[in-house]
Amino acid sequence: MNRMLTPSNRERALLSSAGIFADLENAETEALRGCSTVMTCAPHEILFQEGEPGVYFYSLLEGYVRLFRLNERGQEADIRICEPRDTFAECLIEAGGTYRYGAQSMDNTVLARFHVGKVRALLAEYPRIGAAILRSLSLHLLSTIECLANDRMQTAPQRVAHYLLAHCVEEEPATASLQLPFPKNLLARKLGLAPEALSRAFSTLKSAGVTVHGRLIAISDVNALRKI
Amino acid sequence: MNRMLTPSNRERALLSSAGIFADLENAETEALRGCSTVMTCAPHEILFQEGEPGVYFYSLLEGYVRLFRLNERGQEADIRICEPRDTFAECLIEAGGTYRYGAQSMDNTVLARFHVGKVRALLAEYPRIGAAILRSLSLHLLSTIECLANDRMQTAPQRVAHYLLAHCVEEEPATASLQLPFPKNLLARKLGLAPEALSRAFSTLKSAGVTVHGRLIAISDVNALRKI
DNA sequence: CGAATATTTGAGGGCTATCAAACTGGGTGG
DNA sequence: CCACCCAGTTTGATAGCCCTCAAATATTCG
């Protein structure tokens, strides 16, 4: 059910603001954009499944996409929650063949889809595009590493505290707040927790001054939260 | 205590067999090799710490190196166990600045060390070197993703079974064996387990036909192991 | 306003970390 | 050759953490 669109000005602007376009010159931006198509996706729609031939990589313009791996027994583990401006599956450019994880739209999403073969063909002429992809992959590797380390060292309340501290805006001295960009079950997936465990983590953090009202979260003492 | 060496022929051959040199032509190989120095490291020696300025990336020629992240409280979580031919910290080329994890020699190791700035300067002239690094990073990202997914889905015996099946050589119909390349405590770190948990996982797997004698492991029924 | 969807709460149990102690095997020096 | 030592490994006991299932409660959206 993907509706293809001729990119509107707004979408062109969104695309240019994607991380993978940072530091590119005009000619490179145009070349890379020429490999792309804008498309939309309904919530819960599967973009691709693990094991399918990998022809495209994607930049997310609006909405949320989760990347996940499948078990033999059909269990799913989320690898990453993508937000607007994120690029995913770009590792196909050099580790090609098939998608190594699935991708599911978790919202009404707008995506730019890049043809891997066309982009690969640009690399010789535009080495800075290669550098941009290298940077994107490096950052993904580092964030996956951080996720793995956090999984291995942190309890559920610590993971939540870590997320809150990384995403909140500090207001008064030592107080802060934030609004979650997506529902709590997506946050739970991102942190590798069952939704119930996330809920219990929030209630544990109440004693550290965290107040939750739907997606709005207030932190009364940033320093207390850091000590969790 | 790093002893610098002029690369012997053996070390030159080892270096060329490192994954990052696969698919490179002679000129590219020579250019990349020109950025490198061979060095040795004693067991337990720290190659670099998380947060240090990142000047070099490495290819391991002999021995084992563990990559790990540190907590505020001093806990360590292992990210990856590097084996000969593995390259690590190459993400510095585009996500530079500081090392984002520590590296410790776990053996008498021999390494090739590449100057990040020099390698970066080669990318414009030799785009295939960029492609080689892109491939290396892609594979690391995929293996880290797999590790994360396994951590989130598999129990200790399942992780061990998975490792055994991935590394054993099948002999008679359905029987197989392998020798661990490193001590069990390194395997435990690699799998994100306490050494005691690894030991207990092996004893659980006895009932699936796994026999352990030191580093030698025999599997009497590969298919039974797959069902764990 | 009501149905569907999220989230919270409770109870129970499985899994693994931790601590402590026994054990193994290979290498050393007597 | 043997007793000893040491690092690595195994075993036992305990406790904490989080998943699962089930049910109650909020929220969201049409």
Side-chain angles (χ1 to χ4, degrees):
Chain A
M1 299 301 133
N2 302 330
R3 232 174 348 125
M4 294 305 180
L5 302 171
T6 46
S8 67
N9 285 337
R10 175 151 163 283
E11 284 154 0
R12 289 170 66 91
L14 271 172
L15 185 52
S16 303
S17 76
I20 205 159
F21 283 93
D23 295 345
L24 292 187
E25 310 286 339
N26 269 340
E28 296 148 356
T29 301
E30 284 309 317
L32 189 51
R33 190 181 288 163
C35 305
S36 77
T37 313
V38 172
M39 56 181 276
T40 64
C41 245
H44 303 110
E45 207 171 317
I46 301 288
L47 274 83
F48 52 80
Q49 283 283 12
E50 187 178 335
E52 279 180 17
V55 184
Y56 302 101
F57 71 90
Y58 297 82
S59 286
L60 185 52
L61 304 182
E62 279 181 30
Y64 297 92
V65 168
R66 81 184 179 96
L67 309 182
F68 60 98
R69 283 199 53 134
L70 283 171
N71 223 350
E72 309 74 52
R73 277 179 285 291
Q75 302 172 335
E76 294 180 354
D78 287 56
I79 294 312
R80 182 173 154 213
I81 304 299
C82 297
E83 307 189 15
R85 304 187 175 188
D86 278 352
T87 297
F88 57 94
E90 75 275 41
C91 56
L92 287 173
I93 288 173
E94 279 297 329
T98 57
Y99 292 108
R100 298 303 199 77
Y101 42 78
Q104 181 180 29
S105 165
M106 298 304 283
D107 199 352
N108 285 304
T109 58
V110 182
L111 302 116
R113 167 179 112 160
F114 297 84
H115 190 279
V116 168
K118 288 182 186 170
V119 174
R120 197 185 289 126
L122 293 179
L123 296 186
E125 187 179 356
Y126 300 103
R128 289 166 56 93
I129 292 180
I133 293 166
L134 207 54
R135 177 161 23 82
S136 173
L137 270 174
S138 296
L139 296 175
H140 291 163
L141 177 58
L142 291 173
S143 71
T144 307
I145 282 175
E146 169 145 19
C147 190
L148 179 64
N150 289 344
D151 270 24
R152 289 181 171 184
M153 283 192 292
Q154 297 183 330
T155 66
Q158 288 171 335
R159 288 181 221 181
V160 176
H162 188 255
Y163 179 88
L164 295 180
L165 290 168
H167 293 265
C168 68
V169 286
E170 200 156 342
E171 300 161 338
E172 308 298 314
T175 79
S177 71
L178 73 156
Q179 172 154 23
L180 297 179
F182 37 60
K184 293 205 184 81
N185 71 56
L186 256 194
L187 179 58
R189 287 172 178 285
K190 182 183 177 72
L191 300 178
L193 297 173
E196 300 94 320
L198 176 65
S199 178
R200 287 185 233 273
F202 273 127
S203 77
T204 299
L205 292 180
K206 268 182 197 140
S207 64
V210 174
T211 324
V212 180
H213 289 85
R215 288 191 189 175
L216 279 148
I217 298 174
I219 301 169
S220 68
D221 184 353
V222 174
N223 294 316
L225 198 56
R226 289 209 182 89
K227 284 189 220 141
I228 291 291
Chain B
M1 296 302 132
N2 302 331
R3 227 175 352 123
M4 292 306 179
L5 301 170
T6 47
S8 67
N9 284 337
R10 174 151 166 281
E11 283 154 2
R12 287 170 67 91
L14 271 172
L15 185 51
S16 301
S17 75
I20 204 159
F21 283 93
D23 296 344
L24 291 188
E25 311 285 340
N26 269 340
E28 296 149 356
T29 302
E30 284 308 317
L32 190 49
R33 189 181 287 162
C35 306
S36 76
T37 312
V38 173
M39 57 181 275
T40 64
C41 245
H44 302 110
E45 208 171 315
I46 301 288
L47 274 82
F48 52 80
Q49 283 283 12
E50 187 178 335
E52 278 180 17
V55 184
Y56 302 101
F57 72 89
Y58 296 82
S59 286
L60 185 52
L61 304 183
E62 279 180 31
Y64 298 93
V65 167
R66 79 183 182 97
L67 309 182
F68 60 96
R69 282 198 53 133
L70 284 170
N71 223 349
E72 309 73 53
R73 276 181 286 292
Q75 301 171 333
E76 294 180 354
D78 286 56
I79 294 312
R80 182 173 156 214
I81 304 298
C82 297
E83 307 188 14
R85 303 187 176 189
D86 278 352
T87 298
F88 56 94
E90 75 275 42
C91 57
L92 286 173
I93 287 173
E94 278 298 328
T98 57
Y99 292 109
R100 297 304 199 76
Y101 42 78
Q104 181 180 28
S105 166
M106 298 303 282
D107 200 351
N108 284 306
T109 57
V110 182
L111 301 118
R113 169 179 110 162
F114 298 83
H115 190 278
V116 167
K118 288 182 185 168
V119 174
R120 197 186 289 126
L122 294 179
L123 297 185
E125 187 179 356
Y126 301 102
R128 289 165 57 92
I129 291 180
I133 293 167
L134 207 53
R135 177 162 23 82
S136 173
L137 270 174
S138 296
L139 296 175
H140 290 163
L141 177 59
L142 291 173
S143 70
T144 306
I145 283 174
E146 169 146 20
C147 189
L148 180 65
N150 289 345
D151 270 25
R152 289 181 171 184
M153 283 192 292
Q154 298 183 328
T155 66
Q158 289 171 335
R159 287 180 220 181
V160 175
H162 187 255
Y163 178 87
L164 296 181
L165 290 168
H167 293 264
C168 68
V169 286
E170 200 156 343
E171 300 158 341
E172 307 299 312
T175 78
S177 70
L178 72 156
Q179 172 155 22
L180 297 179
F182 37 60
K184 294 205 184 82
N185 72 55
L186 255 195
L187 178 59
R189 288 173 177 286
K190 182 183 177 72
L191 300 177
L193 297 173
E196 299 94 321
L198 176 64
S199 177
R200 287 186 234 273
F202 273 126
S203 77
T204 299
L205 293 180
K206 269 183 197 141
S207 64
V210 173
T211 323
V212 181
H213 290 86
R215 289 190 189 175
L216 279 149
I217 297 175
I219 301 169
S220 68
D221 184 353
V222 174
N223 294 316
L225 198 54
R226 288 209 184 89
K227 285 187 219 139
I228 290 290

